[in-house]
Amino acid sequence: MSESFSQRLRALPDFPNDLPKFDPADAPADSVDLFLEWLEAALADGVLQPHAFSLATTTQTGQVSSRMMILKNIDDGAWHFASTVGSRKGRELTANPQAAMNFYWAKFGRQVRVSGAVTLLSAEASARDWDERPGADGRDNPDWQLFALHPTEVEFWQASSDRHHIRHRYVL
């Protein structure tokens, strides 16, 4: 790449000056409660797709891939998402059931990283999720699978205009 491209990237704005304040000392004891607070703030401010996240998976040999997904639910501490079992991510999760989610709300300079083991939810729960999708047409999809990520770590990151960003980590 050229020097001018690098300079152009450096000139792009990072974060707005009016970022929310975050004091980890005031954070709730449960990471899900803090996530819900941040999600509600994004919803209240009209952030588009605040439930979207990047899901990172790996093959057995460690080749990493990521893609955008939609959070379906958080239940009993497990974070739910869905896909077809035969997709690349489905195959990777079968071979190596570990993953990481990353939610990012640029307007607030906030991100939440969630990592841990992934399990399959029941065929009934998966079928119900398929049927509840927007545009569902009543046809079954036996390849549709609801997954649950069981976090071992949840990290909250709040950007700061002075570049002294704040991290708050829950180890579960």
Side-chain angles (χ1 to χ4, degrees):
M1 290 284 138
S2 69
E3 182 65 29
S4 63
F5 180 67
S6 174
Q7 290 170 343
R8 185 174 178 200
L9 292 176
R10 282 257 183 220
L12 294 173
D14 287 329
F15 300 105
N17 289 325
D18 59 342
L19 293 169
K21 300 296 180 208
F22 174 58
D23 183 352
D26 296 331
D30 187 335
S31 62
V32 172
D33 291 339
L34 183 54
F35 177 79
L36 293 176
E37 284 180 26
W38 284 21
L39 180 68
E40 287 299 330
L43 284 166
D45 205 69
V47 172
L48 297 177
Q49 295 184 314
H51 59 324
F53 64 92
S54 173
L55 178 73
T57 58
T58 63
T59 63
Q60 281 185 310
T61 59
Q63 182 180 6
V64 179
S65 63
S66 67
R67 75 287 290 155
M68 296 306 294
M69 303 286 294
I70 297 294
L71 181 67
K72 301 289 189 154
N73 196 10
I74 302 175
D75 187 35
D76 288 333
W79 302 54
H80 299 184
F81 61 96
S83 181
T84 55
V85 175
S87 68
R88 178 176 177 173
K89 69 186 129 336
R91 293 188 314 270
E92 289 174 354
L93 288 167
T94 298
N96 184 6
Q98 299 286 321
M101 301 173 153
N102 192 30
F103 296 84
Y104 179 62
W105 303 296
K107 184 174 186 175
F108 297 111
R110 286 179 168 171
Q111 67 179 327
V112 179
R113 188 176 52 81
V114 184
S115 60
V118 176
T119 59
L120 304 177
L121 293 175
S122 71
E124 295 79 20
S126 297
R128 186 172 45 257
D129 181 72
W130 176 256
D131 290 339
E132 292 172 354
R133 289 167 47 105
D137 61 8
R139 289 185 282 176
D140 291 340
N141 183 353
D143 199 35
W144 191 251
Q145 180 62 57
L146 197 56
F147 295 91
L149 188 148
H150 305 271
T152 54
E153 176 183 45
V154 181
E155 182 182 77
F156 292 80
W157 184 86
Q158 174 65 64
S160 177
S161 300
D162 64 5
R163 313 257 331 139
H164 292 104
H165 310 308
I166 300 166
R167 285 180 173 76
H168 183 61
R169 190 169 160 237
Y170 294 83
V171 178
L172 309 170

